[in-house]
Amino acid sequence: MPPRSRVTIRDVAAQAGVSVATVSKVLNNRYGVSPDTFARVTAVIKDLGYEASLVAQSLRNRRTNVIGILVADIEPFSTELLKGAADAIRGTGFELVVYSAGGRTGDPTGWELRYLTRLSGTLVDGAVLVTPAVDLEGIPGTPVVAVDPHTGRAALPTVDSDNLHGGRLATEHLLALGHRRIAMLTGRADLKSAQQRETGYRGALASAGVAVDEDLVRRGDYDAGVAAASARELLAGPDRPTAIFAANDTTAIAAIEAARELGLRVPEDLSVVGFDNIPESALCTPPITTVQQPIREMGHQALELLVRLINGEEPADTHITLGTELVVRQSTRPPTP
């Protein structure tokens, strides 16, 4: 069956027995159309399923009433953030379009600018950039909000969470249970939030009088494969750690799987703490103790902030940092004597 061709404004005009100009007036709620004609054209639009082109609308009205969210890939963090943005957009009069590079960003420090340039002006009125790698100023006239930017607070409006405090919370929890050989699977070295989580880990150990063993600090990169390899190296040695703080839940899950492959039980032989509190952390076996950053709320706040900027408002605070808290589950316990 051949694909159905796109309904045009000319199709609507022909079906309703009016001019294209009259249909345009109906679409834009302009004067000069009788109530009967307005009702007839509206019925034809509904019957044919006609949708005006976003590009044509933007050229005509200089607004699309569409907000874009740009992500490098659809993964657990961005998925939760999108849910928050979708909640926030209800009732605003805007629609939401998600643009994912599918992990194929090529130049990791320039993909955002390329895609923002492609979408701005005719497709979206503003954009939320998730974890942008550079301090973008955006396209002139296009409001942009950055979530979890690589460089921390930037010239752009930003939304992030208190990663430093979260790193301390995770490590202090393990210390309070009696652990002293606490390893860390770090996040991406280029990401400010990952650096802050590691700083929190180091600060908590220092406050407890525990020297940091650099052999216990290994790359995780927020990548399950990298984290699993690092966890196996940590756990296969003769003086393995009794606990691991993973910089996000994805790498915490990888660490648990690596421990299981080596015949170690969590939490009996190894305690594991993650970060993010994505849904998978509660569904893991065992459910993971983790630091919750309010990812959905971050998406919600970013969307609300962007709408205010698009509408020409001047928010009192354009750099929003949300709190983090510890969620204790079954992946942690005191070390076995």
Side-chain angles (χ1 to χ4, degrees), residues 201-233:
Y201 159 81
R202 292 177 177 274
L205 289 177
S207 296
V210 178
V212 177
D213 183 343
E214 297 298 338
D215 287 338
L216 297 182
V217 181
R218 301 294 181 95
R219 287 178 53 202
D221 290 358
Y222 294 154
D223 180 275
V226 173
S230 293
R232 283 191 287 269
E233 291 176 0

Side-chain angles (χ1 to χ4, degrees), residues 80-81 83-85 87 279 293-301:
E80 289 302 298
L81 191 137
K83 292 175 183 177
D87 288 340
Q293 62 169 337
I295 305 174
R296 284 200 190 189
E297 183 62 19
M298 290 165 70
H300 196 286
Q301 294 265 2

Side-chain angles (χ1 to χ4, degrees), residues 11-79:
D11 296 329
V12 175
Q15 182 77 15
V18 299
S19 68
V20 169
T22 298
V23 177
S24 179
K25 288 180 179 180
V26 172
L27 290 170
N28 293 283
N29 289 312
R30 293 177 182 166
Y31 63 88
V33 180
S34 70
D36 288 345
T37 300
F38 188 95
R40 185 168 73 256
V41 172
T42 301
V44 170
I45 288 172
K46 182 177 180 180
D47 183 57
L48 295 181
Y50 173 74
E51 288 286 346
S53 164
L54 284 177
V55 173
Q57 283 184 326
S58 68
L59 292 173
R60 184 169 56 247
N61 303 327
R62 298 184 183 276
R63 285 283 288 266
T64 65
N65 291 328
V66 174
I67 286 173
I69 297 188
L70 279 64
V71 297
D73 204 355
I74 302 295
E75 36 69 42
F77 176 85
S78 61
T79 299

